[in-house]
Amino acid sequence: MADYFNTMIMPMLEGAKMTILLFLIAIAVSIPLGFLLTLAVNSRFKPLSWLAQTYIYLMRGTPLLLQLLLICFGLPLIPVIGEYLILDRFVAACLGFILNYAAYFAEIFRGGLLSIDKGQYEAAKVLGLNKWQTTTRIILPQMFRIALPSVSNESITLVKDTALLYAVAVPELLHFAQTAVNRDFTIVPFFIAGIIYLLITLVLTMFFKWLEKRFKFE
Amino acid sequence: MAIIEVSNLKKSYGKLDVLKQITFDVNKNDVVAVIGPSGSGKSTMLRSLIHLEEINGGSVRVTGDYLVKDGVYSKAQEVKKITSKMGMVFQHFNLFPHLTVKENLEIAPKMLKTESISAIQQRSAELLKKIGLSDRATAYPANLSGGQKQRVAIARALMMNPEILLFDEPTSALDPELTGEVLQVMKDLAEEQMTMIVVTHEMGFAKEVANRVMFMDNGEIIESGHPEDLFNNPQFERTKAFLNRNLK
């Protein structure tokens, strides 16, 4: 029995590793990228702003699954250049998640910026701070603080969205659970997968709770 | 000696003239109270002086230098130099919520490198003592009362060593029992000969502390004078009507 449990759970833990790796890469790149997108949207150089807004619209307006399928299976079908666009599945998946989540984070940060009172800018101005000093020392710290609960929420969604890798055949947690269910005709692997997701999101939730407390400013 | 000279200041939003040909001087060490009904343009006038509002015509001179001359602003660097001679205290305090009291006071002088760090820290300690909040130096604004916040905001403005302090309804957002502590700090500043322009609804303060009261209505200065004269012997109907409503 213990042996069976091992043969079932070991691959799932391997899959969980893949899930966590994708999560870490996606979050580490999409948050800074999202922030840059926010700056682009707010840019006074209109073409850049429009470009960023269009990008966000496209990424939020179409299903992530569609984007993943497009990157994994669609790009190689493009005439002439398609053969150079055959990416490693995991790389392709990372790319898809990063591009998609950056758009969501951009909107979260934009919301944070919008909720900062204009009095903050005025106070900084009359104290003689220039634009750069105002942005980096006054506005951004507050923006990140305001955005924190939404970033936390989005991160948890990202953990669960990694299950979409199933559709592009990257062997992550859900893939191994499904394999075990089919092979052994038992429901247990689904529960185990559920518990592993819960554990990951629990750690995340606690981490963000800690961050929120650390930056409570009270 | 006039430290601020405003002539024919005009400001409009589209077709609506919010300030019409405003002209007045403020002398060094004056405490000017600006009173008038809401929407009369008092705040807009005050904010124009420190370039939080762009005006559409007229001139503003501060210590002899033109911020705006006949509707044309000086170069950005000059504007910055001129506005740095003034400090501003806002109705809603506008403290930086992510910084402690001490950090609120020290951030601007530290960023602008006006003095050595030790000199800055020494002055922030002195100012906190002066406003009676030495024990709250490491508190965040969220943990202060409204009156304490406004006192910190005044200290923050003083950190920049302004020659003139502008107050935009400094007590209007406070509970009535908290206005006293803020007015006391302002009174102390007046006694130290600080030049101040105070937009206020506090008739008591205007009477007691100001040496000049300006009554504004509908984008114009209707009359201005020594508080005793203006309060006891207003020359214009509009002033009388306003005082009747507000002195009861």
Side-chain angles (χ1 to χ4, degrees):
Chain A
M1 184 64 198
D3 264 4
Y4 167 69
F5 201 70
N6 270 341
T7 55
M8 182 178 66
I9 207 161
M10 275 329 205
M12 285 178 72
L13 287 180
E14 275 304 305
K17 246 200 225 160
M18 192 67 110
T19 294
I20 292 170
L21 185 64
L22 176 88
F23 169 79
L24 290 176
I25 292 172
I27 203 125
V29 184
S30 62
I31 286 181
L33 192 63
F35 177 59
L36 290 179
L37 272 173
T38 307
L39 295 183
V41 168
N42 284 335
S43 167
R44 267 183 296 178
F45 181 58
K46 284 298 158 204
L48 182 64
S49 174
W50 290 327
L51 200 69
Q53 287 178 54
T54 308
Y55 174 84
I56 291 170
Y57 173 64
L58 288 177
M59 285 298 160
R60 292 201 310 167
T62 57
L64 175 54
L65 186 55
L66 172 64
Q67 296 162 16
L68 286 174
L69 292 173
L70 185 91
I71 293 173
C72 290
F73 305 120
L75 291 184
L77 300 179
I78 299 174
V80 189
I81 57 166
E83 56 181 307
Y84 303 107
L85 295 175
I86 305 170
L87 302 170
D88 172 76
R89 278 297 154 74
F90 183 73
V91 173
C94 283
L95 194 64
F97 275 91
I98 287 166
L99 294 179
N100 179 276
Y101 269 78
Y104 282 94
F105 283 123
E107 281 300 279
I108 288 174
F109 293 141
R110 195 173 68 84
L113 276 185
L114 282 177
S115 63
I116 294 173
D117 186 72
K118 81 177 197 322
Q120 294 290 308
Y121 295 90
E122 293 184 347
K125 185 178 172 187
V126 299
L127 286 169
L129 299 185
N130 64 29
K131 250 187 141 165
W132 172 254
Q133 291 163 337
T134 304
T135 305
T136 54
R137 302 298 298 270
I138 306 298
I139 303 306
L140 294 188
Q142 292 185 58
M143 180 202 79
F144 282 115
R145 178 61 189 86
I146 294 166
L148 205 47
S150 302
V151 169
S152 160
N153 196 34
E154 202 60 28
S155 304
I156 287 169
T157 306
L158 174 56
V159 170
K160 294 175 297 174
D161 272 357
T162 58
L164 288 172
L165 289 185
Y166 180 77
V168 292
V170 173
E172 47 65 73
L173 177 54
L174 191 64
H175 165 88
F176 287 109
Q178 173 73 21
T179 309
V181 168
N182 286 343
R183 184 186 59 215
D184 307 327
F185 214 62
T186 157
I187 196 174
V188 177
F190 280 154
F191 281 109
I192 295 174
I195 289 167
I196 294 175
Y197 281 119
L198 283 172
L199 284 175
I200 298 173
T201 48
L202 180 68
V203 171
L204 259 187
T205 306
M206 280 167 25
F207 172 68
F208 277 105
K209 278 258 159 67
W210 173 79
L211 268 187
E212 278 180 37
K213 221 172 139 181
R214 167 76 181 69
F215 295 104
K216 201 166 176 209
F217 306 132
E218 275 181 21
Chain B
M1 189 195 97
I3 193 167
I4 294 183
E5 298 153 83
V6 176
S7 55
N8 301 319
L9 188 155
K10 256 182 64 188
K11 163 89 183 163
S12 40
Y13 295 113
K15 280 191 175 159
L16 179 73
D17 293 332
V18 286
L19 297 175
K20 311 163 186 166
Q21 309 285 338
I22 300 257
T23 299
F24 67 94
D25 287 354
V26 174
N27 290 328
K28 203 164 166 33
N29 308 335
D30 267 356
V31 177
V32 179
V34 185
I35 60 171
S38 34
S40 58
K42 324 182 281 292
S43 287
T44 309
M45 182 276 289
L46 192 77
R47 291 162 55 84
S48 302
L49 301 181
I50 196 162
H51 197 226
L52 287 176
E53 304 280 349
E54 295 262 333
I55 64 172
N56 305 104
S59 306
V60 176
R61 274 174 100 181
V62 180
T63 61
D65 300 319
Y66 279 103
L67 174 73
V68 205
K69 190 178 183 182
D70 300 325
V72 181
Y73 277 89
S74 299
K75 282 198 223 100
Q77 214 178 353
E78 180 76 0
V79 166
K80 199 162 182 181
K81 198 189 100 199
I82 292 168
T83 53
S84 74
K85 294 175 181 174
M86 295 175 275
M88 173 114 179
V89 174
F90 299 89
Q91 179 178 1
H92 296 288
F93 330 125
N94 298 350
L95 293 179
F96 304 129
H98 61 300
L99 302 178
T100 63
V101 166
K102 187 174 184 301
E103 289 166 341
N104 262 282
L105 262 60
E106 293 175 359
I107 184 167
K110 277 183 180 168
M111 299 251 58
L112 302 178
K113 300 197 172 70
T114 46
E115 298 158 279
S116 71
I117 301 270
S118 60
I120 291 169
Q121 286 174 334
Q122 195 186 338
R123 209 174 54 262
S124 76
E126 282 166 13
L127 282 170
L128 282 179
K129 194 168 164 209
K130 180 173 172 169
I131 60 166
L133 288 175
S134 297
D135 56 332
R136 306 310 309 270
T138 57
Y140 284 99
N143 294 336
L144 301 179
S145 72
Q148 290 174 331
K149 281 183 204 173
Q150 196 59 298
R151 279 143 69 196
V152 172
I154 294 171
R156 182 176 69 175
L158 290 173
M159 283 296 289
M160 306 308 291
N161 285 323
E163 294 178 44
I164 304 150
L165 262 188
L166 311 177
F167 293 82
D168 190 4
E169 305 201 14
T171 57
S172 296
L174 299 176
D175 290 335
E177 73 265 26
L178 298 178
T179 57
E181 56 190 76
V182 173
L183 293 173
Q184 186 56 49
V185 172
M186 292 167 65
K187 230 184 212 172
D188 294 345
L189 285 172
E191 271 160 27
E192 292 162 24
Q193 309 288 309
M194 173 61 84
T195 308
M196 306 186 341
I197 306 179
V198 186
V199 169
T200 186
H201 292 292
E202 292 283 341
M203 295 303 146
F205 177 83
K207 253 182 177 168
E208 238 184 280
V209 184
N211 65 341
R212 190 141 62 93
V213 178
M214 256 165 48
F215 172 67
M216 283 181 72
D217 191 19
N218 203 16
E220 294 171 296
I221 297 175
I222 306 300
E223 61 181 298
S224 117
H226 194 273
E228 219 155 278
D229 300 333
L230 192 129
F231 282 114
N232 297 332
N233 193 15
Q235 300 297 307
F236 292 83
E237 264 321 304
R238 276 195 272 181
T239 320
K240 279 180 202 165
F242 175 80
L243 291 176
N244 274 333
R245 278 194 312 263
N246 286 278
L247 286 178
K248 291 290 149 68

